[in-house]
Amino acid sequence: MSTRVKSLVVLGCTLIIGIAIGILGTSTWQHRRNVALSETRIQGGLTRHIERVIDFQDEEQLAEVRTIVRRAERSLMQQRRRAIDSLAVHRQILIADLQQVLTPEQWQRLEAWLDREQKHRRDRRDRSSGQRRSSRKNSSDQKPQY
């Protein structure tokens, strides 16, 4: 093998290794970011996040901040529930309108696709929340709501 071919092979391997490291690094960073965001959205998550960031002067200040953040957290959770409920209503309207226009065959295909999508979302959510298999089995027995 000539020096030129060896150099090209080394450069090609370096390029491939660099791409692989970049992909894995970005994936790891994004996963950690998603975990941090989901932890913030659960009850008490915002409080824990703020406690990690702020260096409190004393216990009194910490107690005041916890009270303020818990109040804000409840408000944010209520707003999130309202948004989810609103989206569910709009989705039901969309489904009802589509069902009137589509043929039975088209509707069956759409319904099958919606079932697959909902199952996929539920499985992804269960994996990310760390639920055990038994609770997943119980939740999959329920009929999906459109």
Side-chain angles (χ1 to χ4, degrees):
M1 238 197 239
S2 71
T3 306
R4 184 176 183 161
V5 173
K6 288 179 186 177
S7 297
L8 289 175
V9 169
V10 168
L11 283 174
C13 290
T14 304
L15 177 66
I16 292 170
I17 291 170
I19 290 171
I21 290 172
I23 290 171
L24 293 173
T26 302
S27 174
T28 301
W29 171 78
Q30 186 64 40
H31 175 72
R32 287 182 181 162
R33 184 173 178 268
N34 289 343
V35 167
L37 284 173
S38 65
E39 286 176 353
T40 302
R41 291 182 182 139
I42 61 173
Q43 190 70 32
L46 185 59
T47 304
R48 285 190 299 276
H49 187 72
I50 288 177
E51 286 176 3
R52 277 185 268 162
V53 174
I54 297 175
D55 185 26
F56 296 102
Q57 295 174 354
D58 54 16
E59 289 299 317
E60 184 179 321
Q61 185 186 32
L62 175 62
E64 289 176 12
V65 168
R66 281 183 177 166
T67 303
I68 292 168
V69 172
R70 284 185 184 136
R71 183 174 51 237
E73 224 174 28
R74 281 192 299 268
S75 175
L76 290 169
M77 291 288 186
Q78 289 172 351
Q79 180 64 31
R80 189 163 189 239
R81 276 188 229 108
R82 282 193 296 263
I84 289 170
D85 292 344
S86 175
L87 289 172
V89 167
H90 290 290
R91 183 178 178 172
Q92 287 173 347
I93 291 169
L94 171 67
I95 294 297
D97 290 346
L98 286 175
Q99 194 171 12
Q100 292 175 2
V101 174
L102 298 177
T103 66
E105 180 184 297
Q106 291 171 326
W107 172 248
Q108 285 177 345
R109 282 197 320 235
L110 179 63
E111 192 174 31
W113 178 78
L114 290 170
D115 286 342
R116 282 192 309 271
E117 286 296 311
Q118 188 164 14
K119 183 182 182 305
H120 177 68
R121 263 192 317 256
R122 188 173 43 243
D123 289 347
R124 217 174 45 214
R125 184 182 63 234
D126 289 350
R127 266 185 271 125
S128 67
S129 66
Q131 290 182 348
R132 295 189 326 224
R133 286 187 167 269
S134 61
S135 62
R136 273 192 237 156
K137 184 178 180 183
N138 293 339
S139 66
S140 65
D141 294 339
Q142 299 171 354
K143 177 73 177 159
Q145 295 178 357
Y146 301 112

